[in-house]
Amino acid sequence: MRTTEKIDGYDLSTSDTEEVHVLAVDDSLVDRKVIERLLRISSCKVTAVDSGRRALQYLGLDEEIQKKETNGFDGLKVDLIITDYCMPGMTGYELLKKVKESSAFREIPVVIMSSENVIARIDRCLEEGAEDFIVKPVKLSDVKRIIDYTTTELREGEQREGARARRRGINKRKQREGDDDLSSSPPSTLSSSTSSSPSSSIQSATAPSSPSTLDSPTRRLKMTSSE
């Protein structure tokens, strides 16, 4: 099943089976449609915008635009950003820097696309934190490779979070068990140990034992009279 929603003219089509949400940024309509199609073939949810500023607005990182207008973009989860390098207004490199400077989005992988295979440009983007650099035209094999390692990272992140949650649960359970042990611990044996102290033993050993009924003076007198 697929649902379609349009926000400010942008097609935000989603599928129930899609897992990875990709934000695609390209000022060229043709290139944008190509990358959208390749991503959808790879079972991705795609949001496509035509500029770096619109991408920042989508992520909620452009405060100046947010003050002027709101379009419902805020608060949507993004797993991967694919952006063209050469764009008017804000380049893909500048968008990359903005994303990596953000505490909320710095962990999102950013892939740069360019029609020019310039080594210095590639190195510059990779040093700034880009996950990969793709030379246009983008091929399906490029997209599948990117999605594969993005999916792997997402799965590993979920596993790490699940492990942390399990550890927290174990620690809480141990803490509760420790509290229960303390509340149900037997009373102190201080009094019993005190009563059985060496001094008490000496006193009981030296104290005269009470006479038996046979040895009492009254009993001896009766026996003598009867004889």
Side-chain angles (χ1 to χ4, degrees):
M1 294 179 62
R2 182 177 294 276
T3 58
T4 302
E5 180 183 0
K6 287 190 176 182
I7 298 179
D8 284 5
Y10 294 100
D11 184 7
L12 306 182
S13 299
T14 64
S15 169
D16 292 342
T17 59
E18 291 168 343
E19 296 180 351
V20 179
H21 181 196
V22 182
L23 175 60
V25 189
D26 202 316
D27 63 308
S28 168
L29 177 61
V30 175
D31 289 345
R32 194 163 63 245
K33 291 300 182 181
V34 169
I35 191 66
E36 277 188 79
R37 179 172 178 77
L38 293 177
L39 288 167
R40 294 190 194 283
I41 290 174
S42 302
S43 300
C44 293
K45 172 184 173 182
V46 186
T47 299
V49 296
D50 60 0
S51 68
R53 296 298 296 276
R54 294 290 282 173
L56 291 181
Q57 182 184 4
Y58 183 91
L59 297 172
L61 296 177
D62 194 323
E63 297 179 358
E64 181 180 346
I65 293 180
Q66 281 185 334
K67 291 177 182 178
K68 295 180 181 179
E69 57 178 300
T70 56
N71 60 5
F73 280 173
D74 296 346
L76 299 179
K77 180 176 177 291
V78 175
D79 301 307
L80 174 67
I81 299 173
I82 298 180
T83 178
D84 187 29
Y85 184 91
C86 294
M87 294 186 294
M90 175 179 289
T91 66
Y93 176 74
E94 292 170 335
L95 174 60
L96 168 67
K97 289 183 65 176
K98 290 284 187 181
V99 171
K100 294 306 177 182
E101 289 171 358
S102 166
S103 58
F105 299 103
R106 67 176 56 155
E107 299 300 327
I108 296 179
V110 179
V111 176
I112 306 294
M113 304 177 293
S114 177
S115 57
E116 299 176 342
N117 189 8
V118 181
I119 301 300
R121 179 181 297 177
I122 296 173
D123 292 341
R124 183 184 182 192
C125 292
L126 295 178
E127 289 175 0
E128 192 61 40
E131 193 74 22
D132 205 340
F133 194 102
I134 301 175
V135 178
K136 293 182 177 181
V138 181
K139 299 181 290 295
L140 182 59
S141 58
D142 296 326
V143 173
K144 286 188 174 296
R145 173 172 52 82
I146 294 169
I147 298 305
D148 283 345
Y149 66 65
T150 301
T151 305
T152 301
E153 289 180 355
L154 288 174
R155 189 182 301 112
E156 291 176 351
E158 291 174 355
Q159 291 175 350
R160 287 193 296 269
E161 182 59 31
R164 285 194 293 267
R166 287 193 295 272
R167 285 197 296 270
R168 288 194 296 267
I170 292 172
N171 291 336
K172 288 182 180 179
R173 186 165 61 252
K174 287 183 177 180
Q175 184 177 2
R176 286 196 300 269
E177 291 173 354
D179 294 341
D180 293 340
D181 292 341
L182 289 176
S183 61
S184 60
S185 59
S188 173
T189 57
L190 179 60
S191 58
S192 61
S193 63
T194 305
S195 61
S196 60
S197 61
S199 58
S200 300
S201 302
I202 295 173
Q203 290 175 0
S204 60
T206 56
S209 59
S210 58
S212 65
T213 54
L214 291 176
D215 296 334
S216 65
T218 305
R219 180 62 177 168
R220 286 198 300 271
L221 179 61
K222 289 183 178 180
M223 292 176 65
T224 304
S225 302
S226 62
E227 291 176 354

